Amino acid sequence: MTSPSAARRRSAADAASTTLGAILDAIPFACAAFSRANGALVAGNDRFDEAFSALPGYRDRAQLLSALGVAGDDDGAEAKAPHSGHWYALHWRTLALDKGEFDLLTAVDISERLEALDTHKHQQEKLLFTSRLMSVGEMAATLAHEMNQPLAAIVNYLNGSLRLVGQAGGPAQVERALVAARTQAEHASAVIARVREFVRAREPRRDAHDVAVIAGTVLELLRLEAERQQLRIDLALAGTLPAVYADRVMVEQVLLNLVKNAIEAMREVPSAQRELRIEGRVNLDDEVEVRVLDRGGGLSAADSEQLFSPFFTTKSDGLGIGLAICRSIIEYHEGRLFFEPRPGGGSVFAFTLPKAEGRI
Ligand SMILES: Nc1ncnc2c1ncn2[C@@H]1O[C@H](COP(=O)(O)OP(=O)(O)O)[C@@H](O)[C@H]1O
Ligand SMILES: [Mg+2]
């Protein structure tokens, strides 16, 4: 026999669960009320049953949460139902009715939203990847591929020629020219090898490098060109310039591009005014800053806006990808590449690189 007071309690609980059930049924996602006193399920809507009734112990708050792998007080948790694979955002609220207090659980199915996010992220990554390939890579990759073989052949022919000249005791100028040609071809091969690596998104090899050595290589490569244009390149590096943390060939490539642009900018300038300087110093941010200064025509404000956009060129024979590639290389190195007008006329192109100290 149940006592009258127990019967009264039960009917109060039934009434509460009926009212609650009616309210919960009107809610468009899984929703359930648990007793504050003992954690038992008091009422749940159909969506709640659909979502969780296959889980053992789902009528008990603690058991349900442990089946979903979340802590009891973890409001806003995202949980995966192990039987269905659906994801739910779980929220708890206290519901005070005159019949007592309940813990109200809402479980919003977020599987579709997560899937959409996933797809979006995937597409975003694909887009980034393609745009990167398009801007620096695709063209470079094709060129690199096409040029690899002929360059190797050129180096072989030059070695053969050098042997013949040596055997025949040929003129020293010819031998020097052949050695210079071989140096150029080998450098081109090294650059191409790095470009291919870069496009394949592999890590370039960063190490401690002396800017003086890098500049020396670049000047050696440009010696003939500079002679032809009757200009002298002044190298003015601070004596105490610390080593930079960089991929050597990549930085050579950047400096080579900037100096070539500087030489090209002075094509129309009387030779007495052609003044090309490479400066190196530690800047206020404690980075190594390399500056290439010319006395060319400089840049209009409009042009200086587009300077680094791929395929922007003002030259009839230009590709317009030099500066774009330089900038992505320098940014890869956590540095900056920028343009400044040179006082007295001409341009300054400068880039920064981190010091090697503390990085290796
Ligand atoms: N030192 C410079 N002085 C003046 N203009 C420059 C200089 N360097 C670059 N530019 C301008 O930026 C453009 C893009 O340079 P770049 O990316 O190297 O491509 P390209 O040399 O093939 O034209 C050049 O066409 C030129 O108009
Ligand atoms: Mg260029």
Side-chain angles (χ1 to χ4, degrees), residues 254 257-258 261 299 307-310 312 320-329 337 349:
V254 171
N257 266 308
L258 298 183
N261 277 347
L299 279 149
L307 214 48
F308 299 99
S309 321
F312 172 75
I321 56 169
L323 287 175
I325 292 180
C326 287
R327 180 169 264 190
S328 43
I329 290 177
L337 172 66
F349 281 84

Side-chain angles (χ1 to χ4, degrees), residues 244-260:
V244 293
Y245 183 57
D247 182 286
R248 185 175 54 80
V249 175
M250 282 185 151
V251 177
E252 280 171 9
Q253 186 63 26
V254 171
L255 191 58
L256 185 73
N257 266 308
L258 298 183
V259 176
K260 272 189 149 174

Side-chain angles (χ1 to χ4, degrees), residues 34 48 51-72 77-88 90 92 105:
F34 293 85
F48 177 80
F52 302 116
S53 62
L55 289 174
Y58 86 103
R59 299 187 143 272
D60 179 81
R61 180 193 150 128
Q63 286 187 49
L64 173 64
L65 289 179
S66 97
L68 291 173
V70 282
E78 291 179 356
K80 186 176 176 179
H83 62 295
S84 64
H86 279 232
W87 280 89
Y88 296 93
L90 305 177
W92 291 98
L105 170 69

